[in-house]
Amino acid sequence: MNGKRIAVLCSGGDSPGMNCAIRAVVRIGIGSGFEVYGIQKGYAGLLEGNIRELQVSSVGNILQHGGTILQTSRCPEFMTEEGRKEAANLLKRKKIDALIVIGGDGSFNGAMKLHEEHQISVVGIPGTIDNDIDGTDYTIGFDTAVQNAVDAVDKIRDTANSHARTFIVEVMGRRSPAIALKVGIGTGAENVILPTSSIDYEKIVNDIDRGIKRGKTSSIIIAAEGEVEGVAHTIQKNLKDKFNLQAHVCILGHIQRGGNPTPTDRYIASQMGQMAIKALLADEKATATVFVNGKVALAPLKNCLRKKNEFDVSDLELLTTLSI
Ligand code: ADP
Ligand code: F6P
C-alpha cells in the first residue's frame, strides 16, 4: 500500500476481545511504520469525523476488558451510497487509505462496498459473539459469550434442582445456532431449541417426563433467541397451554456480551490484529483475517460476507444422547 496512515473501527454489536485486536493493530501497526488512527463509534463516528491518532500508550491496560475502547454503533446512513461516499471523502481528506473493520458480516458488507465504490483498502477482523460469519470457523467474543452463558446456566441449575423445576434459558445469537448448541452441551441441557428448525413440543415434553421418571430433579431447555428477543416466553406459553407443563423463563441477554475476554479470545484477537497488519504490509486490498483449521490466516473479504447458520448435526446428536 502507498500511504502510511491506517484507521481502525468497531462496528455492529461489541464483543469481548475487540480491545485485544485493537491493541495488536495499534502496537504492531506502529511498529511496522504506520500512523494508526482510531475511529470512535463505528461507521457513524467515521461520518462525524470522530477520529484520533492512537499511540502505543493509548491501548495500554485494555486487553483484559470487555467492550471496546473505540465504542461501536449501527449506522443506517452507511447503508446508502451517499453515506459511504461521504465516509470515503473523509478518509481521503485525512489521507487514510486503509481501514480495518472489526465487526460482523454486516460490517464486512459495508467495508466491501467502501472498497468497491471508493478503492479504500479494507481488512475485516471477525468480531461478534454469534460466530456466524461465512469463511471463518471463529469470531472474536464467542468463547467469552459461551463462558458467560454456561456460568449463568450452572447457577440456574442449582435453583432448578432445589425446586424440581423446568427452566427455559434464552441465549443470544440471532439466527445463529452456535451459542445455543455449545451452551447446551456444556451445561447438560435436556433440550436445545435452535433458530433454524421448528419446535417439536411433544419431544420436549416427552424428554422431560422421561427424565423425571428416571429421577432427574430439573430440566433445562436452551432456546436460541432468533430474530427477536423473547422467544422463550412463547415457548413457555405453548408448553403451559398445550401440555400443562409449567416452565420458568430466564433471558440472559446482554450479560453474555460483557466481561473479561477468555484467554482464547485474547489470543485469537491478538493474532488477528497482527494478521490484519500483515495484510496491509502485503498490499492486500480487500481481505479478512479468518480462523481456519485451528490457525489464523487471510482470506478474500468477499468470502466472508454471508451470515453462517449451519451447524454440525453431530453436536445436536451428542446433546440428545447425553441428556437421556
Ligand atoms: P454486524 O456487523 O455485527 O453483522 P450489523 O448487521 O448491525 O452488525 O451491521 C453493522 C453496520 O454495518 C450497519 O449498521 C451498517 O452501518 C453497516 N452495514 C451492514 N450491512 C451493510 C450493507 N449491506 N451495506 C453497507 N453497510 C452495511
Ligand atoms: O450480533 C450480536 C448480538 O449480540 C446478537 O446475538 C443479538 O441478537 C444482537 O447482537 C443484539 O443487538 P443489540 O446490541 O442491538 O441489542
Side-chain angles (χ1 to χ4, degrees):
M1 81 173 242
N2 305 323
K4 281 182 62 200
R5 288 189 178 180
I6 64 174
V8 55
L9 61 77
C10 295
S11 170
D14 64 302
S15 68
M18 280 182 162
N19 280 331
C20 306
I22 295 166
R23 174 173 172 267
V25 163
V26 171
R27 295 208 165 154
I28 298 168
I30 291 173
S32 306
F34 292 119
E35 281 174 25
V36 185
Y37 287 77
I39 298 171
Q40 213 67 26
K41 295 190 184 162
Y43 293 129
L46 172 57
L47 288 168
E48 289 161 8
N50 198 342
I51 304 177
R52 68 191 154 116
E53 189 174 355
L54 298 172
Q55 310 297 342
V56 166
S57 58
S58 317
V59 291
N61 207 17
I62 66 166
L63 97 160
Q64 72 273 35
H65 297 301
T68 156
I69 59 156
L70 291 179
Q71 300 179 282
T72 182
S73 68
R74 297 203 167 85
C75 174
E77 221 183 319
F78 201 77
M79 307 283 278
T80 66
E81 265 186 46
E82 201 45 47
R84 291 190 296 274
K85 187 172 174 195
E86 209 180 310
N89 285 341
L90 213 135
L91 288 171
K92 284 175 185 167
R93 271 206 305 280
K94 294 211 178 269
K95 299 195 180 348
I96 293 170
D97 44 14
L99 179 65
I100 297 175
V101 173
I102 311 174
D105 60 290
S107 305
F108 281 15
N109 274 281
M112 191 73 216
K113 287 183 182 163
L114 189 68
H115 171 69
E116 286 169 348
E117 293 163 2
H118 303 284
Q119 294 73 52
I120 308 275
S121 295
V122 290
V123 184
I125 298 183
T128 163
I129 63 166
D130 298 347
N131 202 15
D132 64 345
I133 305 183
D134 216 17
T136 181
D137 296 340
Y138 193 76
T139 63
I140 298 167
F142 175 66
D143 190 58
T144 309
V146 169
Q147 176 74 61
N148 288 338
V150 165
D151 285 348
V153 176
D154 285 350
K155 291 181 175 113
I156 291 167
R157 182 70 88 171
D158 288 345
T159 175
N161 274 329
S162 304
H163 288 267
R165 282 178 177 166
T166 294
F167 268 83
I168 306 162
V169 183
E170 183 173 316
V171 296
M172 270 188 166
R174 279 218 179 112
R175 300 213 51 84
S176 165
I179 295 179
L181 255 184
K182 198 150 184 194
V183 171
I185 292 171
T187 58
E190 276 61 34
N191 278 98
V192 63
I193 295 172
L194 302 178
T196 37
S197 44
S198 56
I199 304 174
D200 186 346
Y201 284 101
E202 237 171 273
K203 181 178 179 319
I204 293 173
V205 173
N206 288 340
D207 286 348
I208 291 173
D209 279 349
R210 195 186 60 241
I212 290 169
K213 281 189 188 119
R214 79 127 175 93
K216 281 196 185 196
T217 48
S218 66
S219 296
I220 303 272
I221 301 164
I222 303 290
E225 66 178 352
E227 213 56 71
V228 280
E229 190 180 289
V231 68
H233 288 296
T234 311
I235 298 167
Q236 179 191 43
K237 187 169 184 327
N238 284 335
L239 287 174
K240 176 89 186 78
D241 293 353
K242 295 181 186 151
F243 299 93
N244 199 26
L245 193 149
Q246 183 72 50
H248 291 258
V249 164
C250 180
I251 299 177
L252 296 184
H254 293 80
I255 205 165
Q256 293 160 96
R257 225 161 67 179
N260 309 41
T262 60
T264 297
D265 272 321
R266 296 179 196 203
Y267 181 58
I268 296 177
S270 301
Q271 287 187 319
M272 285 188 167
Q274 177 188 43
M275 192 54 88
I277 296 298
K278 281 188 185 169
L280 294 179
L281 289 170
D283 209 17
E284 294 285 352
K285 303 291 187 205
T287 188
T289 66
V290 293
F291 191 74
V292 177
N293 297 327
K295 279 198 166 12
V296 170
L298 289 174
L301 184 60
K302 65 176 166 44
N303 293 0
C304 306
L305 301 178
R306 267 192 43 225
K307 208 175 256 313
K308 182 173 69 182
N309 61 12
E310 301 94 42
F311 62 93
D312 199 337
V313 181
S314 65
D315 277 348
L316 197 53
E317 285 164 6
L318 177 65
L319 184 138
T320 310
T321 310
L322 291 178
S323 66
I324 47 170

